[in-house]
Amino acid sequence: MLRNASIINVFRISLAIIVIVASASSLSAFWLLEKSEQDAELINVAGSMRMHAYKFATELSNNQQEQAQATAEKIESLWEKPLLNRHFAKASTDVENYAIQVKQEWQSIAQEAQSRGFTQLSNNTQRISTYVDDLDQLVGMLQEHSEHRMESVRSALALASFIIVAVFFFLLTVLKRKIDEPLTHLLSVSKRLGRGDFTAKSKLNNNDEIGQLARTLNKMSETVSYFYGGLERRVEQQTEELSRKNKVLSFLYDTARSIIEHSYDYNNYQEVIEKLYEVGEVEDIELCLLTEEGNRPFLQLQPRPNSHEPCEAGDCATCIKAGPGASVIEDKMVYRFVLKREDQNYGVLIVRCDPTESLATWQQQLMSSTADQLALSQSLKSEEEQVRRLALMHERTVIARELHDSLAQALSYLKIQVTRLHKAVDKNDRDTIDDVSNELREGLNAAYRQLRELLTTFRLKVDGSGLYNALQTTVKQFSEQSDMAINLDYRLNNIPLAPHEEIHLLQIIREASQNAINHSEGSEVSITLSQPSGQDVELSIRDNGIGLPQNAEKINHYGLAIMQERSRNLGGDIRLNRLEEGGTEVFFTFTPDYLLQ
């Protein structure tokens, strides 16, 4: 019964018993004190009655009537005290009857004394002595009654103390069995749960509050264990998902970086397919590359080693025209990812799997992104080839223009002179023959010099080190070829010049410096490149020679034409100035491309 009782109710009942018993004992003690006080007063009254009885007897003996009558009235008043009446009423029947008998005996003595006028009676002493003895016996009975009451109170107090002690030890037992031990058990279970051991269970089956708490704790442990297990599974799944996404992103990043850093060749495509096969977790994958006009793949790539045979279809136009998507072909689910960029098809990426399975969304996204990157690689490769072709055509145009403006015109001039020579020989015109001979000699020397300059120009390049280093190399070459001091003042370190701008500037500087070395007869050439206004770039090539001659257009006509042609290509303005202090200046200005965008 105690096992299934409520702890709160047990404590309530126990405390109620203690309070009731303690209250009862307190009231008994209070009642005892009250009665003890009345017993003392009663004994005092009884003593007064005995003393007055002896006094009454003495006064009768001495024939003191008035005094005896007064004493009798006092004794009567003592018998009429309410204390005696209440006490006798609460006492036992024997005490009450005996008190009535003693009172009646006194009343008999008093009546007899009054009838005789309170004179001495013969038997007065004997009756008063009997009356006093009866009073003593009455007081003894009252004392015995009081002692009996005290004994009852002591027994009640002892019983109350026993009950209180028993209830106390009962509560200690309840506290140990229903609170201390269960709480210690629940504390150990909770510590195991706190360490993550969700297999810990409470074995308490009580129907009290702690038993309900134990069952609730077990239920909570089961719930937490279920959710924790689910959380661990979700964490593992998320970890796998993040790991897979990390591999996918790393693969796409590496592929994109490789495409940006260098053009892909076919070995790179093989590496991409093998990595894609590993990262994409597919069963069969194949890459077919086509030319712009072709309808059959010129290259079919599969991961190595591979147990699947490549596609035997001789015509890929069907796959490409079908566009991206999936279809069932020969008991296989075939996914197509077309390599297409700017309406140009470069091939198709094929993934095959069982019809009962299908590619996940992330796999399709991966294949689509890879196909886009491979298409971008093919597009960049095509653009690079086109740029190389255009650069080659442009270079050939430049070479043709250079040859036309130099050697072609020189040879045309020499051809005219040869024609004059033939006519002079036919006429035997010696003066003309000598003049033509001199012209041919000078023309051949000029043509040979122009050929050497063209060869040097065609070998010239601006490499990754930039225009400044190319100019330093040029200055060093000119310094080794002549005795003139060549000074370079370069102030364009913070300007992003385009490659073609660097080439044209370098050629203009070389042509102008070569002219100064060949024709100025000076000792110094100063080359200055700057951007004083923050807009146009200014180029100045000065020498301290004899200055610009009157027939400047005729002297090195081809070099001036080359410089003017290059200035027009840069959209600039070039001028030849005669310096007042002597010498010549070639001054060129243009606006760089980065300011025009």
Side-chain angles (χ1 to χ4, degrees):
M1 184 176 181
L2 179 62
R3 181 182 182 87
N4 297 328
S6 171
I7 298 176
I8 302 299
N9 292 334
V10 170
F11 272 85
R12 286 176 179 174
I13 295 173
S14 300
L15 291 177
I17 293 173
I18 292 175
V19 170
I20 292 172
V21 172
S23 300
S25 62
S26 298
L27 292 176
S28 299
F30 176 78
W31 180 78
L32 175 62
L33 291 175
E34 183 69 22
K35 292 302 179 181
S36 298
E37 182 180 359
Q38 294 177 359
D39 289 344
E41 186 177 356
L42 184 61
I43 292 172
N44 186 27
V45 170
S48 297
M49 291 174 67
R50 285 186 297 178
M51 182 189 71
H52 283 87
Y54 283 120
K55 184 179 178 181
F56 179 72
T58 302
E59 290 174 348
L60 287 179
S61 299
N62 294 331
N63 199 19
Q64 295 176 352
Q65 295 180 0
E66 294 180 359
Q67 288 82 356
Q69 184 178 1
T71 302
E73 291 176 356
K74 288 183 179 180
I75 293 173
E76 187 66 26
S77 64
L78 288 174
W79 276 107
E80 297 298 330
K81 278 184 172 292
L83 174 65
L84 292 177
N85 296 326
R86 289 197 304 271
H87 189 77
F88 292 149
K90 295 179 180 179
S92 62
T93 305
D94 295 337
V95 176
E96 184 180 1
N97 293 333
Y98 191 76
I100 294 172
Q101 181 180 351
V102 174
K103 183 177 179 182
Q104 289 175 354
E105 184 178 357
W106 161 254
Q107 290 175 351
S108 176
I109 293 173
Q111 288 177 0
E112 184 179 355
Q114 185 177 7
S115 63
R116 291 177 178 267
F118 294 98
T119 59
Q120 184 177 7
L121 300 176
S122 59
N123 57 350
N124 179 46
T125 304
Q126 183 64 31
R127 291 186 67 182
I128 291 175
S129 297
T130 303
Y131 169 69
V132 171
D133 292 337
D134 291 340
L135 282 176
D136 290 336
Q137 187 177 355
L138 178 60
V139 171
M141 293 178 66
L142 291 173
Q143 183 177 357
E144 183 181 353
H145 178 72
S146 178
E147 289 176 355
H148 180 71
R149 187 171 58 246
M150 292 289 294
E151 185 67 24
S152 299
V153 171
R154 282 194 294 269
S155 300
L157 289 175
L159 179 61
S161 299
F162 175 77
I163 293 174
I164 291 174
V165 172
V167 172
F168 173 74
F169 282 104
F170 172 76
L171 289 179
L172 288 180
T173 304
V174 171
L175 180 65
K176 181 178 180 180
R177 292 182 57 186
K178 296 182 72 66
I179 297 180
D180 188 19
E181 293 177 356
L183 285 180
T184 303
H185 173 68
L186 290 180
L187 182 61
S188 63
V189 173
S190 64
K191 287 182 178 179
R192 291 176 60 188
L193 292 176
R195 290 192 297 267
D197 182 10
F198 296 107
T199 61
K201 302 292 182 183
S202 175
K203 299 179 181 179
L204 297 177
N205 295 322
N206 301 347
N207 292 327
D208 55 15
E209 290 82 356
I210 295 183
Q212 295 177 4
L213 178 61
R215 289 189 290 273
T216 303
L217 183 64
N218 290 338
K219 186 175 181 180
M220 182 190 69
S221 174
E222 294 175 357
T223 304
V224 172
S225 177
Y226 172 77
F227 282 106
Y228 184 78
L231 181 61
E232 285 186 337
R233 290 190 296 272
R234 287 195 296 272
V235 169
E236 291 178 358
Q237 294 174 357
Q238 292 295 329
T239 302
E240 294 177 358
E241 183 71 17
L242 289 175
S243 178
R244 183 175 65 244
K245 289 182 178 180
N246 182 56
K247 291 181 180 179
V248 170
L249 292 176
S250 297
F251 167 74
L252 294 176
Y253 171 76
D254 293 338
T255 304
R257 185 181 63 181
S258 300
I259 291 174
I260 293 173
E261 290 178 352
H262 58 81
S263 299
Y264 265 26
D265 56 20
Y266 302 125
N267 291 328
N268 297 124
Y269 289 133
Q270 181 65 42
E271 295 177 0
V272 170
I273 289 300
E274 292 179 357
K275 291 181 180 179
L276 182 61
Y277 175 75
E278 178 182 355
V279 174
E281 302 175 3
V282 294
E283 179 183 355
D284 184 13
I285 186 171
E286 182 177 356
L287 174 64
C288 299
L289 297 180
L290 292 82
T291 61
E292 184 176 354
E293 298 83 8
N295 57 3
R296 298 180 58 185
F298 65 87
L299 184 65
Q300 290 179 276
L301 298 176
Q302 288 182 299
R304 297 172 298 188
N306 186 30
S307 59
H308 301 278
E309 295 296 331
C311 178
E312 296 181 356
D315 188 357
C316 292
T318 303
C319 285
I320 295 178
K321 290 180 179 179
S327 59
V328 178
I329 302 177
E330 297 180 357
D331 298 331
K332 286 287 186 179
M333 179 66 73
V334 180
Y335 289 86
R336 300 177 300 277
F337 302 92
V338 179
L339 279 64
K340 186 174 182 180
R341 182 175 176 81
E342 296 179 355
D343 298 330
Q344 175 63 41
N345 293 324
Y346 297 99
V348 62
L349 179 64
I350 302 296
V351 179
R352 305 179 184 91
C353 61
D354 292 335
T356 57
E357 301 177 356
S358 60
L359 291 183
T361 303
W362 70 270
Q363 291 176 312
Q364 297 184 34
Q365 293 175 348
L366 172 62
M367 300 302 167
S368 178
S369 299
T370 305
D372 292 340
Q373 288 189 346
L374 294 179
L376 175 62
S377 174
Q378 285 291 93
S379 176
L380 291 176
K381 186 175 181 181
S382 300
E383 291 177 0
E384 289 179 359
E385 293 176 352
Q386 183 65 20
V387 168
R388 285 196 293 269
R389 285 193 291 268
L390 292 176
L392 180 61
M393 295 298 296
H394 178 71
E395 188 64 24
R396 288 179 178 178
T397 302
V398 171
I399 292 174
R401 184 177 64 246
E402 298 287 352
L403 291 174
H404 176 270
D405 291 343
S406 57
L407 285 178
Q409 294 189 17
L411 292 176
S412 176
Y413 175 75
L414 291 176
K415 184 178 180 181
I416 293 173
Q417 298 301 324
V418 169
T419 301
R420 287 182 60 200
L421 180 61
H422 287 166
K423 292 181 179 180
V425 170
D426 292 339
K427 296 180 180 180
N428 197 17
D429 186 353
R430 192 64 189 177
D431 294 336
T432 303
I433 292 175
D434 293 338
D435 182 62
V436 171
S437 298
N438 291 331
E439 291 290 337
L440 288 174
R441 187 183 303 108
E442 293 180 0
L444 287 174
N445 290 334
Y448 179 72
R449 177 176 57 80
Q450 292 171 2
L451 177 61
R452 289 178 59 85
E453 291 178 357
L454 285 176
L455 293 176
T456 302
T457 300
F458 295 152
R459 295 192 185 101
L460 184 64
K461 66 177 181 177
V462 179
D463 55 17
S465 56
L467 175 62
Y468 179 64
N469 289 334
L471 288 176
Q472 286 182 321
T473 302
T474 299
V475 169
K476 182 179 179 182
Q477 292 176 354
F478 286 155
S479 299
E480 293 174 353
Q481 295 175 4
S482 68
D483 296 333
M484 297 184 68
I486 303 176
N487 302 317
L488 175 63
D489 183 9
Y490 187 83
R491 305 177 188 175
L492 301 182
N493 292 314
N494 298 321
I495 298 177
L497 294 176
H500 72 281
E501 293 173 338
E502 293 179 343
I503 290 291
H504 288 307
L505 281 175
L506 181 60
Q507 294 289 7
I508 292 174
I509 293 172
R510 287 184 61 86
E511 193 65 37
S513 300
Q514 189 69 55
N515 286 340
I517 293 172
N518 293 336
H519 305 291
S520 69
E521 299 180 9
S523 60
E524 182 179 2
V525 176
S526 298
I527 304 172
T528 303
L529 264 174
S530 63
Q531 192 183 26
S533 62
Q535 295 293 326
D536 292 346
V537 174
E538 296 182 357
L539 169 63
S540 174
I541 301 104
R542 292 188 175 196
D543 62 68
N544 59 352
I546 59 176
L548 192 66
Q550 297 296 332
N551 55 348
E553 291 77 5
K554 182 177 181 180
I555 298 177
N556 196 17
H557 165 75
Y558 307 114
L560 294 177
I562 290 173
M563 287 191 292
Q564 291 174 352
E565 177 66 20
R566 294 191 180 278
S567 68
R568 286 193 295 270
N569 289 334
L570 293 179
D573 178 40
I574 189 169
R575 302 189 303 273
L576 273 68
N577 303 322
R578 180 190 296 271
L579 302 178
E580 295 180 359
E581 63 274 16
T584 305
E585 177 188 33
V586 177
F587 186 78
F588 172 62
T589 61
F590 78 101
T591 303
D593 287 348
Y594 81 93
L595 293 176
L596 299 176
Q597 295 177 355

